[in-house]
Amino acid sequence: MTTDQLVEAPTRRRRGLDVRYLPVLGTLTVVILMVVIGGALYPNFLTPRTMGNLFINNAHLIVLAVGMTFVIITGGIDLSVGAVLALSSIIVATLLQAGWNMWLVLPIAIAAGTLFGLMHGAIIYYFRVQPFIVTLAGMFLARGLCFLIAPLSIPIANKGFDRFVGWRIKFGDFRITTAVGIALIVVLVAFLVLHYTRFGRTVYAIGGSEPSAIMMGLPVTRTKILAYVISGTCAGLGGVLFAMSLKSGYALTGVGMELDAIAAVVIGGTLLTGGAGFVLGSLLGVLVLGLIQTIITFQGTLSSWWTKIVIGALLLIFVVLQRLLSRRRA
């Protein structure tokens, strides 16, 4: 190979589209197509109010998906986030009903999720147990605690909490509520951490090849545990946002929500095998799930089970695409 050819090769790579971004671009294309099709079929679909409600109804899922993104990029999984979300919402409702100060209750609820994440990460790393088993046990533990604390739904009647929940910014009919604002801040912070810090680069390195990360002297132990701590903290925060949305806490909240979070992350382009993925892709994945539900609601005659059917089909398509892209990259 001549010198000119050696210079030309990297130049072509710089000019070409990086294959890492293809899944995210595919998800963005799906979002745009769904918005265009929904707008063409239903007159009131493409309105600021409908788009605003898309974020309002899925603020908790956005936060869950962000935490799940960190775990999946390291090559792990967290099945406990739905149950931890329920536990966090019950803690909020129980303590507020008991007359506790809201600014003390909210950190306690989030810290409960953090403790679950710390427990999962420590057991997975130090005892070499599969993340699937550990977080499954955590799911049962959190769900059991929910029923132990409050077997029935607990309504939230707290003036300070109502004022906090009621804060919003309006751009015409488009509204940004407290929950949406918090969810978007979480996405921004996670994006910066994942792409512009040493911790974020280590997360990707572990998912790409953990033995190589160890040989390079990267802090694998601390990073893997922190990934589960972030996921647990996001689940705790998701419970707070869910309690803000429903103004109640209930033990059966969030059943199956961990699967929605995983689906959003995978549809958003994160590899289940780890090493690749984007927080913004997970946000787009949540929007895809929300748009499916919105279109079915507008259609009016389809059963809600069609949401699961469409999500399942999309998930299969994206998993196959990821496999094809992985082969191309190899």
Side-chain angles (χ1 to χ4, degrees), residues 119-143:
M119 177 184 71
H120 292 155
I123 293 175
I124 288 168
Y125 190 81
Y126 289 111
F127 294 93
R128 305 293 178 188
V129 183
Q130 287 296 318
F132 176 86
I133 299 298
V134 175
T135 56
L136 181 66
M139 181 184 76
F140 285 122
L141 177 60
R143 190 67 70 184

Side-chain angles (χ1 to χ4, degrees), residues 153-169:
S153 177
I154 304 175
I156 298 175
N158 182 288
K159 291 182 180 178
F161 189 74
D162 290 341
R163 282 195 297 272
F164 181 60
V165 173
W167 178 88
R168 62 197 59 202
I169 299 175

Side-chain angles (χ1 to χ4, degrees), residues 9-303:
T11 304
R12 280 202 301 267
R13 284 198 294 272
R14 284 198 297 270
R15 287 175 180 172
L17 182 63
D18 193 328
V19 293
R20 293 178 303 164
Y21 301 120
L22 287 179
V24 179
L25 291 175
T27 310
L28 179 62
T29 304
V30 171
V31 170
I32 293 172
L33 282 175
M34 293 177 77
V35 170
V36 170
I37 292 172
L41 292 176
Y42 310 108
N44 294 325
F45 183 87
L46 204 55
T47 61
R49 181 179 293 275
T50 303
M51 295 298 112
N53 288 338
L54 185 64
F55 284 90
I56 292 171
N57 295 334
N58 294 287
H60 60 282
L61 187 56
I62 291 173
V63 175
L64 286 189
V66 167
M68 189 69 76
T69 304
F70 279 83
V71 171
I72 292 182
I73 289 177
T74 63
I77 199 79
D78 190 349
L79 298 178
S80 70
V81 293
V84 172
L85 176 145
L87 179 62
S88 173
S89 67
I90 281 182
I91 289 173
V92 171
T94 304
L95 295 183
L96 286 179
Q97 190 186 53
W100 286 44
N101 185 292
M102 181 191 73
W103 298 112
L104 185 60
V105 170
L106 300 187
I108 290 175
I110 297 171
T114 305
L115 285 176
F116 265 86
L118 181 61
M119 177 184 71
H120 292 155
I123 293 175
I124 288 168
Y125 190 81
Y126 289 111
F127 294 93
R128 305 293 178 188
V129 183
Q130 287 296 318
F132 176 86
I133 299 298
V134 175
T135 56
L136 181 66
M139 181 184 76
F140 285 122
L141 177 60
R143 190 67 70 184
L145 287 173
C146 289
F147 283 101
L148 189 65
I149 296 172
L152 300 176
S153 177
I154 304 175
I156 298 175
N158 182 288
K159 291 182 180 178
F161 189 74
D162 290 341
R163 282 195 297 272
F164 181 60
V165 173
W167 178 88
R168 62 197 59 202
I169 299 175
K170 289 186 176 181
F171 301 96
D173 287 337
F174 187 87
R175 297 171 297 160
I176 294 180
T177 62
T178 307
V180 174
I182 292 173
L184 294 180
I185 289 172
V186 169
V187 171
L188 177 62
V189 171
F191 173 80
L192 295 176
V193 168
L194 204 50
H195 296 286
Y196 295 100
T197 66
R198 185 184 178 191
F199 168 75
R201 289 190 289 273
T202 306
V203 167
Y204 281 106
I206 292 173
S209 173
E210 186 172 336
S212 299
I214 294 172
M215 290 179 65
M216 287 190 291
L218 296 175
V220 174
T221 305
R222 185 178 64 195
T223 304
K224 286 191 75 170
I225 293 176
L226 274 179
Y228 284 93
V229 168
I230 290 172
S231 179
T233 303
C234 285
L237 180 58
V240 171
L241 300 187
F242 206 76
M244 290 166 64
S245 172
L246 297 184
K247 293 189 178 179
S248 67
Y250 185 40
L252 287 177
T253 296
V255 173
M257 204 172 283
E258 60 278 353
L259 302 181
D260 290 337
I262 294 170
V265 172
V266 174
I267 290 173
T270 299
L271 287 180
L272 273 173
T273 51
F278 302 93
V279 169
L280 295 181
S282 299
L283 172 63
L284 292 173
V286 173
L287 294 182
V288 168
L289 303 190
L291 283 168
I292 293 170
Q293 293 173 339
T294 305
I295 289 175
I296 288 176
T297 302
F298 269 83
Q299 205 280 336
T301 59
L302 289 176
S303 164

